[in-house]
Amino acid sequence: MLELTAVDAGYGTFQALFGIALEVRHGEAVAVIGPNGAGKTTLMRVISGLIRPTHRIVELGIAHVPENRRLFPRMTVEDNLRMGGYSPSSRPKFQTRLAFVYDLFPRLLERRRQFAGTLSGGEQQMCAIGRALMSEPKLLLLDEPSAGLAPLIVQQVFALAERIRMSGLTVLIVEQNVRQVLHVVDRAYLIEAGSIRASGAAAELLAGETIQQAYLGI
């Protein structure tokens, strides 16, 4: 579904990524984990094209849920969802996709006339994910979906991620909450200082010394 080979990227003269290589297979959920400033968000921006024009990336079937959700707070939930279905290939399927999103997240149907800025953190994350799903993506990118949320809401967000994964959609998740994300993905990559330091099956990484000592405090 996705393959990156020897990717370097940055901003101006600052280089954030060094020779990144990773792959995401059809139907998988894959995580990219690591500390703040490691280059995780830059990696997502490279994939979704935010460092270059994005519209052609969306047409290829990649949808990006950015860190901190980036909703339009003074627009209704349904209008925010509508913004995700504006690409030429998505417009004819708008009603079908809207029904799909409301079926996946019934709370959004209940809140469809409510301003997005008045939703709870978990509901805003549902709305941001729903907006991305409106384009009927083949690959969904989730950038720090639990960032800034209370512990109880974090549990809800990872339940959402598990639900999306079980629907068969291919997912790439960037996340600092290492223990939780490794329980909902198939494989993961550890990125530090812009380079891949380790990779493997989620269960193996969770049990390995590198992750346990550096990120789980074991």
Side-chain angles (χ1 to χ4, degrees), residues 65-71 77 105 107-108 111 114-130 143-158 160:
V65 181
E67 186 177 3
N68 298 323
R69 300 169 285 281
R70 306 285 181 163
L71 296 174
V77 166
F105 303 131
R107 183 66 61 84
L108 295 183
R111 303 280 195 266
Q114 188 171 326
F115 287 149
T118 65
L119 298 174
S120 70
E123 290 167 346
Q124 287 189 15
Q125 192 65 65
M126 287 182 199
C127 190
I129 294 171
D143 190 355
E144 301 282 6
S146 72
L149 299 178
L152 181 61
I153 305 301
V154 169
Q155 297 287 341
Q156 295 173 8
V157 166
F158 280 106
L160 293 179

Side-chain angles (χ1 to χ4, degrees), residues 153-201:
I153 305 301
V154 169
Q155 297 287 341
Q156 295 173 8
V157 166
F158 280 106
L160 293 179
E162 179 71 11
R163 228 195 254 135
I164 291 165
R165 179 196 176 202
M166 297 306 291
S167 75
L169 186 62
T170 305
V171 183
L172 179 63
I173 309 175
V174 156
E175 182 56 64
Q176 287 188 68
N177 196 325
V178 173
R179 186 190 300 275
Q180 297 242 29
V181 77
L182 289 180
H183 279 106
V184 300
V185 299
D186 302 296
R187 295 186 301 111
Y189 294 85
L190 170 62
I191 185 170
E192 292 180 343
S195 299
I196 300 291
R197 299 301 186 195
S199 64

Side-chain angles (χ1 to χ4, degrees), residues 1 3 23 25 41 60 87 95 110 112 114 127 134 136 149 160 169 181:
M1 181 66 72
E3 183 176 9
E23 66 174 8
R25 304 171 195 130
T41 291
L60 286 173
S87 66
Q95 292 299 334
E110 297 171 11
R112 65 188 183 280
Q114 188 171 326
C127 190
M134 289 295 293
E136 198 174 15
L149 299 178
L160 293 179
L169 186 62
V181 77

Side-chain angles (χ1 to χ4, degrees), residues 61-105:
I62 297 176
H64 184 176
V65 181
E67 186 177 3
N68 298 323
R69 300 169 285 281
R70 306 285 181 163
L71 296 174
F72 298 96
R74 296 194 179 186
M75 292 171 58
T76 66
V77 166
E78 191 156 305
D79 283 342
N80 269 272
L81 296 177
R82 191 179 298 275
M83 296 303 292
Y86 262 87
S87 66
S89 62
S90 302
R91 290 174 199 170
K93 310 172 195 169
F94 174 77
Q95 292 299 334
T96 302
R97 296 304 297 170
L98 188 64
F100 171 81
V101 170
Y102 284 153
D103 185 58
L104 190 63
F105 303 131

